[in-house]
């Protein structure tokens, strides 16, 4: 499934302002420290930011860490464990609750947030936007549509683990 996961789930942007102009009117979910930093620098606090202090498995630089920290000053902060190449129950529950919360939330992951985009698209309401980083290319804007939700459900159902339990948590919104 690595090949399927490497394909961008939407257009790639290198400019946060252009990305924001193309985003829908619904909630904005940012997955990744660098994406969150660029949105924060463009003057927009995502409704949900999922960060792990890493970019391409290396610690983020001080500017990115400071930008994420600024966002955290005005948002609720939740800490979860989520190992690499995994989507834990704790992660999905925190994601679902953060999306449902009308106030901004930063989900700080101990481990990695590398697969969180998939359940984020499933959990977010139609019309929302999920933004994540495409290594060495830019930021991907994934519009949350019925088709996108179905594609993410298909990918998640083919992964190892208990897909039924995952969907039960995600559908509890």
């Amino acid at each position: 499934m690595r090949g399927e996961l490497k394909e961008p789930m939407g257009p790639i942007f290198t400019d946060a302002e252009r990305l924001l102009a193309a985003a829908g009117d619904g909630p904005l979910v940012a997955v990744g420290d660098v994406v969150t930093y660029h949105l924060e620098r463009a003057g927009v606090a995502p409704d949900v930011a999922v960060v792990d202090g890493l970019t391409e498995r290396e610690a983020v630089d001080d500017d990115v860490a400071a930008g994420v920290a600024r966002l955290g000053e005005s948002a609720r902060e939740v800490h979860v464990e989520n190992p690499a190449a995994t989507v834990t129950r704790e992660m999905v529950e925190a994601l679902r609750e953060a999306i449902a919360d009308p106030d901004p939330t930063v989900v700080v992951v101990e481990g990695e947030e590398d697969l969180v985009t998939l359940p984020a698209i499933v959990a977010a309401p139609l019309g929302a936007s999920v933004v994540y980083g495409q290594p060495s290319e830019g930021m991907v804007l994934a519009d949350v549509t019925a088709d996108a939700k179905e594609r993410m459900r298909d990918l998640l159902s083919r992964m190892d683990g208990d897909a039924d339990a995952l969907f039960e948590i995600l559908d509890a919104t």
Side-chain angles (χ1 to χ4, degrees), residues 1 11 20 24 32 36 38 40 42 53-54 60 71 80 84 91 95 97 104-105 107-108 122 136 146 157:
M1 293 181 61
L20 290 164
T36 300
H38 285 295
E40 189 270 338
L54 303 172
V60 297
L71 179 62
V80 300
M91 178 72 246
L95 182 64
E97 291 169 11
T105 303
V107 179
V108 180
V122 175
S136 304
S157 69

Side-chain angles (χ1 to χ4, degrees), residues 18-88:
R18 287 187 181 175
L19 180 146
L20 290 164
D25 292 333
L28 180 63
V29 179
V31 179
D33 296 70
V34 175
V35 167
T36 300
Y37 166 75
H38 285 295
L39 296 174
E40 189 270 338
R41 291 274 317 223
V44 173
D47 296 285
V48 178
V50 182
V51 298
D52 62 7
L54 303 172
T55 184
E56 298 186 43
R57 294 194 164 62
E58 299 289 329
V60 297
D61 67 32
D62 292 343
D63 287 342
V64 172
V68 171
R70 277 192 302 276
L71 179 62
E73 292 171 4
S74 61
R76 179 174 70 100
E77 196 170 281
V78 177
H79 292 260
V80 300
E81 289 187 28
N82 194 75
T86 304
V87 178
T88 63

Side-chain angles (χ1 to χ4, degrees), residues 90-173:
E90 181 183 20
M91 178 72 246
V92 175
E93 288 173 346
L95 182 64
R96 184 197 69 216
E97 291 169 11
I99 289 170
D101 192 333
D103 295 323
T105 303
V106 176
V107 179
V108 180
V109 178
E110 179 66 36
E112 286 188 14
E113 35 73 345
D114 53 344
L115 292 176
V116 172
T117 298
L118 283 68
I121 291 172
V122 175
L126 294 174
S129 298
V130 177
V131 182
Y132 67 94
Q134 187 76 7
S136 304
E137 292 189 50
M139 299 172 284
V140 178
L141 173 61
D143 293 323
V144 179
T145 64
D147 182 54
K149 285 177 172 278
E150 190 55 41
R151 284 195 329 268
M152 295 311 109
R153 283 179 170 278
D154 176 62
L155 284 169
L156 288 164
S157 69
R158 290 187 280 136
M159 293 181 176
D160 291 340
D162 188 347
D164 290 337
L166 172 72
F167 296 137
E168 186 176 310
I169 296 166
L170 290 171
D171 293 338
T173 55

